Amino acid sequence: MSNELEFLSRRVAAGKLSRRDFLGRAAALGIAAPFANSLLSSAARAAGPVKGGTLKAGLVGGESTNSLDPALMMTQVPFAFGKCWGEMIVELSPDGKLENRIAEDIGSSKDAKVWTLKIRDGVEFHNGKTVTAEDVAATLERHSDEKSKSGALGYMKGIETIKASGKEVVLTLKEANADLPYLLSDYHLIVQPNGGKDKPDAGISAGPYVVKTNEPGVRHGGERFANYWQGDKMGHADQIEVIVINDATARTAALQGGQVNMINRVEPKIVDLIKRVPGVTIRNHAGPGHYVFIMHCNTAPFDNNDLRMALKLAIDREEMLTKVLRGYGSLGNDFPINAAYPLFTEIEQRKYDPDKAKFHYKKSGHDGTVLLRTSDVAFPGAVDASQLFQQSAAKAGIKIELKREPGDGYWNEVWNKQPFCASYWGGRSTQDQMYSTAYLSTADWNDTRFMRPDFDKMVLAARAELDEAKRKQMYHDMAVLVRDEGGLILPMFNQFIDATGAKVDGWVDDPHQELMNGYALAKCWLQA
Amino acid sequence: MSSPILKLIAQRIALGILLLLAISVLIFAGTQILPGDVAQAILGQSATPESLANLREQLGLNDPAYVRYFHWLGGVLTGDLGTAMSSGQDIATSIKGRLWNTLFLAFWAAIVAVPLAIILGLIAVRYRNGWVDKLISGLALASTSFPEFFIGYLLVYFFAVKWQIFPAISTVYDGMPFGERMQAIALPATALTLVVLAHMMRMTRAAILNVMQSAYVETAELKGLSAFAVIRKHAFPNAIAPIINVVMLNLAYLIVGVVVVEVIFVYPGMGQYLVDHVTKRDVPVVQAVGLIFAAVYISLNIIADIAAIVANPRLRHPK
């Protein structure tokens, strides 16, 4: 049964969708009426959200060095807990559209340079204060300050002025950007009283849960916020708790033993084992995250496009997908965008072709070995993937020498420093964000050293373009350029694999991030 | 007990303090020869020469090493362990709760392990070379031979996943009811017990067997005492020094060696704290934790020495 249908049937049960509409949509999905009807009755039994209980998540990605300051959130635990206590200006809905939250409405000038956010009435902070336009403006100011350590600074730098007046916040950009509302859904931009300028780590916002416990690296807990503005949609459990469990085995054991109701990052190699456990549901779904091998386009021998092409053709993507990800992913095509992005277009799939690879390799004039650095931390299974790469390349006459680097310090010493290494990207919410973060000549994280003035121009032009059809074409051209001339080898997109225990209901797959884009604790409930 | 024993104890303690000082020098020197410095580590990739210079000035990194060492030592002596680089939190405050958790776990593991090991050792001696002895030794050796993580996972599999008697993870927090806390630590404490049991048991057995060769034990046997009485009254008291030694060694291990067990059971103790900060290259924290671990080792060793001296009159009167 498709998740969409399941979701729709629950909407009917909750009285948010008419029975007739449901049957219509089921028919559109190719489901016969009798089956659709039986689906409805089972959904009605399950009925809508159940209030009460304590929902617990055991998550990897928390450290004793974490802070509640949204600007400093980096890893999964602060991210997921942030979505419980924080309220955003806008958010991406599971179907990829924008959902207004604190902003009631967002409008732009024709040239996409001036943006006006209308602030919703009657949203209350946990400290009892009402959210005002000034608070939103201050939040954006704090994250766009050059000196800020905010993880959102990269995108926020493009904002020239921020002005609050009455119920509105007006943003003027340095350069036009049609994607601004998407940028505002960055998970760092939790709205705080006075923007968090006074006490950034106070953990006060307007989200469905009030922070009750904050022991970084151990556990975080929240209690339902009685005055939450959307109490019918979120905050079903009385209490939520995030327990930091970085060890994969301990995490699955905690789910099986019932100490937690949901976990993140189930390893592909054990998914089939976990599926057999009664009561446990695997929640895997596609997302924008991808596993890569990156070459520096400006460093020999990778400054030769024939050599880059030879390596791209010498990787057996399908084998890697089945052996490393056990099928929990999709094929990559050497550009960092997939169907998770709103303006994605298909480009012919690149395949393993040892003969063509051999041809380009000869043409490049390079002989001898190519040194690839890899490590377990680059992505789960990275060392195995590198070995598969080595073998498939050998069949094309290309010798890849593997150097296994220690995980400790890999991100400081190897990634973005060495010319050829394994790595991963979590993806971004828009193509502009992804390309601006890692493929603009000036990007801090331009880890393929892709420096192409023509490409930069395309990015800026697409950013300012409001006509969707034209934009789609522009992104298509950019993708082709990165695919054919860039330094990125992208064999596969990984899926997010979460798991929930018995009794957890209300799960909706969300392509943007793991755990329903972080909202699993806030939106799920425990069956009575 | 007269003054010679007090003098001996004072000597041991003084020696211990000297040793701790030496270790503090080693720890400090060790962190100095790491590539880069704290300022570099704090600023990371965004470091510019000016900001580096400013931060060095601010942290006093331009002072010669010995000045910085005494500064650090002075802080430690007054209970100020500095602040963590990565989070800016006060180290002493964060360590307090963690250390307490680790000690709590070690305490309960010791409460079970030490008497159990000694009793099993005594039983093994009583039935030496028989099947009871072989069974005890075999099981104990087997539990020691498995790596800690394997024992941990076995316990989790059976007690948490299969039978669901105890929780798989041992998150404890302030204000947790005592009963729940005990339940939470049941599995890690069991794992630790199994890990240290064999060493103590085997040493107890060996030490007592060693004494059993003595003439006075033979005398005791000849005067018709039961086997257990011989062991309890004549052999055990004379074997107590080496037993205390090995017990103390294992207690120290329970406190400083539990990194793996804490990580498996997600127990918020010193081990987890250390692992987190080592990956972040948070030098001040690593220094502080290193010093605390050294202090634990040294004090337990001093206690072992003193206990041995008290227990064995011969050590009190060196020739």
Side-chain angles (χ1 to χ4, degrees):
Chain A
M1 176 182 25
S2 85
N3 287 315
E4 189 184 352
L5 212 57
E6 198 183 304
F7 170 70
L8 290 173
S9 67
R10 274 201 304 269
R11 304 259 307 165
V12 179
K16 287 185 184 125
L17 186 74
S18 80
R19 197 180 176 84
R20 182 180 292 270
D21 282 352
F22 173 78
L23 290 176
R25 292 213 207 169
L29 288 165
I31 308 292
F35 179 60
N37 266 322
S38 74
L39 204 62
L40 265 191
S41 53
S42 71
R45 268 202 307 278
V50 179
K51 296 271 170 189
T54 302
L55 205 54
K56 293 183 181 181
L59 307 180
V60 60
E63 292 156 324
S64 45
T65 50
N66 290 148
S67 152
L68 278 181
D69 179 354
L72 304 179
M73 291 178 174
M74 293 262 284
T75 46
Q76 298 91 331
V77 167
F79 161 75
F81 188 55
K83 296 267 173 140
C84 295
W85 64 264
E87 187 56 279
M88 315 290 296
I89 302 170
V90 285
E91 188 54 88
L92 292 165
S93 64
D95 56 3
K97 299 212 174 64
L98 277 169
E99 186 185 322
N100 291 324
R101 303 204 64 83
I102 284 191
E104 199 173 39
D105 183 54
I106 298 189
S108 81
S109 62
K110 275 219 171 78
D111 60 356
K113 264 189 131 166
V114 182
W115 288 84
T116 309
L117 320 178
K118 191 161 176 283
I119 304 307
R120 195 179 293 276
D121 273 330
V123 179
E124 194 181 310
F125 281 126
H126 300 152
N127 62 6
K129 196 178 154 297
T130 307
V131 179
T132 63
E134 281 76 21
D135 294 315
V136 176
T139 300
L140 291 173
E141 270 166 27
R142 188 165 86 88
H143 289 272
S144 58
D145 181 1
E146 279 293 339
K147 281 183 215 124
S148 127
K149 285 184 198 148
S150 172
L153 180 62
Y155 330 126
M156 292 291 112
K157 269 194 283 198
I159 302 180
E160 176 109 59
T161 61
I162 302 164
K163 282 207 184 78
S165 63
K167 292 206 164 302
E168 290 182 345
V169 178
V170 180
L171 308 175
T172 316
L173 309 185
K174 289 175 189 152
E175 270 146 18
N177 191 344
D179 276 345
L180 183 90
Y182 288 96
L183 301 188
L184 295 180
S185 71
D186 183 296
Y187 68 92
H188 295 95
L189 301 179
I190 288 175
V191 177
Q192 292 173 282
N194 194 24
K197 285 178 178 173
D198 318 314
K199 205 164 179 297
D201 56 357
I204 291 180
S205 181
Y209 289 95
V210 182
V211 177
K212 282 285 162 201
T213 338
N214 179 44
E215 297 170 31
V218 183
R219 59 181 207 128
H220 305 272
E223 204 175 82
R224 186 196 292 132
F225 178 36
N227 295 341
Y228 183 59
W229 66 282
Q230 258 193 334
D232 56 328
K233 282 196 178 158
M234 278 200 229
H236 303 306
D238 289 340
Q239 300 193 349
I240 50 113
E241 192 171 324
V242 176
I243 301 169
V244 180
I245 313 180
N246 290 323
D247 183 81
T249 315
R251 206 158 59 246
T252 33
L255 181 70
Q256 287 172 270
Q259 272 92 59
V260 297
N261 305 105
M262 56 181 76
I263 58 172
N264 62 348
R265 304 256 159 132
V266 179
E267 295 181 347
K269 59 183 169 196
I270 59 164
V271 168
D272 292 336
L273 296 174
I274 304 274
K275 270 188 179 161
R276 282 192 243 145
V277 180
V280 170
T281 315
I282 291 285
R283 311 280 187 174
N284 61 306
H285 54 98
H290 45 279
Y291 295 165
V292 296
F293 298 97
I294 47 183
M295 307 174 275
H296 283 184
C297 298
N298 65 352
T299 313
F302 308 102
D303 52 356
N304 181 319
N305 197 38
D306 277 303
L307 181 75
R308 295 204 292 270
M309 188 55 86
L311 287 168
K312 287 176 191 174
L313 289 164
I315 195 163
D316 190 341
R317 292 146 210 274
E318 305 209 351
E319 184 190 27
M320 214 172 264
L321 182 63
T322 33
K323 289 196 177 152
V324 176
L325 290 186
R326 316 260 161 160
Y328 292 100
S330 58
L331 288 182
N333 202 8
D334 297 337
F335 64 99
I337 306 298
N338 65 355
Y341 290 85
L343 301 173
F344 167 76
T345 39
E346 288 283 351
I347 297 175
E348 188 207 348
Q349 176 65 46
R350 179 165 284 146
K351 291 206 171 77
Y352 176 49
D353 190 337
D355 296 328
K356 237 172 155 185
K358 208 177 267 174
F359 165 76
H360 282 285
Y361 185 62
K362 273 227 173 84
K363 205 174 148 206
S364 77
H366 178 79
D367 55 4
T369 59
V370 176
L371 179 64
L372 170 63
R373 288 163 209 267
T374 184
S375 169
D376 285 325
V377 300
F379 56 84
V383 175
D384 302 336
S386 306
Q387 281 164 350
L388 288 175
F389 189 10
Q390 185 183 36
Q391 286 161 19
S392 64
K395 282 182 203 148
I398 304 172
K399 269 185 237 134
I400 293 182
E401 184 192 339
L402 290 184
K403 183 161 185 221
R404 193 169 173 170
E405 300 275 357
D408 184 23
Y410 188 78
W411 302 110
N412 293 324
E413 313 292 331
V414 179
W415 172 73
N416 216 359
K417 291 231 165 64
Q418 298 295 341
F420 191 26
C421 71
S423 178
Y424 83 97
W425 274 97
R428 291 292 184 270
S429 53
T430 66
Q431 308 191 25
D432 177 58
Q433 252 181 311
M434 190 64 233
Y435 286 127
S436 310
T437 315
Y439 298 88
L440 273 185
S441 302
T442 51
D444 292 337
W445 291 349
N446 184 350
D447 58 8
T448 53
R449 301 290 184 272
F450 186 61
M451 316 229 182
R452 291 282 295 260
D454 51 343
F455 181 83
D456 296 352
K457 259 186 222 145
M458 290 161 94
V459 173
L460 295 183
R463 205 182 268 176
E465 181 58 61
L466 291 175
D467 181 338
E468 202 171 296
K470 276 191 200 159
R471 268 189 108 190
K472 235 177 167 166
Q473 183 57 41
M474 288 165 139
Y475 282 126
H476 174 268
D477 299 344
M478 281 151 69
V480 171
L481 191 62
V482 170
R483 175 179 183 269
D484 294 340
E485 292 172 39
L488 178 77
I489 304 175
L490 198 167
M492 53 203 176
F493 286 87
N494 58 301
Q495 289 185 351
F496 303 118
I497 312 177
D498 304 316
T500 53
K503 284 189 159 190
V504 175
D505 211 341
W507 186 281
V508 181
D509 282 345
D510 189 311
H512 301 101
Q513 265 303 332
E514 59 181 33
L515 295 167
M516 298 170 60
N517 198 15
Y519 283 113
L521 283 170
K523 289 186 179 170
C524 288
W525 62 87
L526 289 166
Q527 288 162 9
Chain B
M1 281 188 221
S2 51
S3 64
I5 195 166
L6 285 180
K7 202 176 134 205
L8 264 172
I9 291 173
Q11 264 177 2
R12 292 288 151 146
I13 292 177
L15 209 61
I17 292 174
L18 265 179
L19 194 58
L20 196 56
L21 270 177
I23 290 173
S24 74
V25 173
L26 275 181
I27 291 177
F28 188 81
T31 54
Q32 293 305 305
I33 50 179
L34 285 175
D37 64 3
V38 179
Q40 181 86 47
I42 291 177
L43 292 172
Q45 281 165 304
S46 62
T48 60
E50 300 89 64
S51 61
L52 267 180
N54 286 340
L55 192 63
R56 284 211 179 98
E57 183 69 52
Q58 199 189 320
L59 295 174
L61 292 178
N62 293 326
D63 297 332
Y66 70 91
V67 173
R68 278 181 289 130
Y69 169 72
F70 282 111
H71 189 86
W72 175 62
L73 192 67
V76 171
L77 291 179
T78 54
D80 173 16
L81 295 171
T83 49
M85 260 162 45
S86 45
S87 59
Q89 289 162 336
D90 183 52
I91 298 176
T93 326
S94 359
I95 279 187
K96 231 179 359 195
R98 299 274 186 162
L99 186 60
W100 162 244
N101 283 348
T102 292
L103 291 177
F104 185 79
L105 178 60
F107 175 77
W108 287 105
I111 287 281
V112 179
V114 172
L116 193 63
I118 290 174
I119 290 169
L120 285 176
L122 292 176
I123 295 176
V125 171
R126 166 65 184 83
Y127 300 105
R128 59 183 174 276
N129 300 328
W131 65 271
V132 176
D133 178 24
K134 283 183 181 144
L135 183 75
I136 292 174
S137 296
L139 287 180
L141 279 176
S143 82
T144 304
S145 313
F146 288 130
E148 287 156 54
F149 69 86
F150 185 70
I151 295 183
Y153 286 151
L154 276 186
L155 290 174
V156 168
Y157 179 71
F158 286 106
F159 290 93
V161 174
K162 224 169 165 187
W163 304 324
Q164 310 214 350
I165 303 172
F166 294 114
I169 47 171
S170 313
T171 322
V172 296
Y173 50 88
D174 283 346
M176 194 176 191
F178 183 75
E180 274 181 43
R181 195 180 262 265
M182 291 306 288
Q183 216 176 9
I185 68 160
L187 293 186
T190 311
L192 285 176
T193 302
L194 288 174
V195 168
V196 296
L197 188 65
H199 190 202
M200 288 193 282
M201 190 288 268
R202 299 277 300 172
M203 282 299 284
T204 306
R205 180 178 177 277
I208 298 174
L209 275 183
N210 202 17
V211 176
M212 298 290 271
Q213 320 282 336
S214 317
Y216 58 83
V217 171
E218 207 171 323
T219 311
E221 275 169 356
L222 287 175
K223 73 184 175 183
L225 287 179
S226 77
F228 252 124
V230 172
I231 293 169
R232 192 170 51 83
K233 278 197 175 145
H234 298 273
F236 183 65
N238 286 294
I240 206 147
I243 293 175
I244 288 177
N245 248 320
V246 71
V247 165
M248 288 302 164
L249 259 179
N250 281 290
L251 286 187
Y253 179 81
L254 285 180
I255 296 168
V256 311
V258 298
V259 177
V260 175
V261 170
E262 284 188 2
V263 170
I264 290 174
F265 289 97
V266 202
Y267 187 78
M270 295 286 278
Q272 278 263 330
Y273 187 70
L274 182 62
V275 168
D276 276 1
H277 288 81
V278 165
T279 42
K280 290 242 158 177
R281 315 209 157 209
D282 199 328
V283 173
V285 174
V286 177
Q287 279 179 335
V289 176
L291 201 62
I292 289 176
F293 280 179
V296 166
Y297 244 99
I298 291 174
S299 4
L300 286 176
N301 269 305
I302 291 175
I303 294 174
D305 280 356
I306 293 172
I309 292 167
V310 173
N312 190 340
R314 269 176 301 176
L315 293 177
R316 260 178 264 162
H317 304 287
K319 283 167 205 154

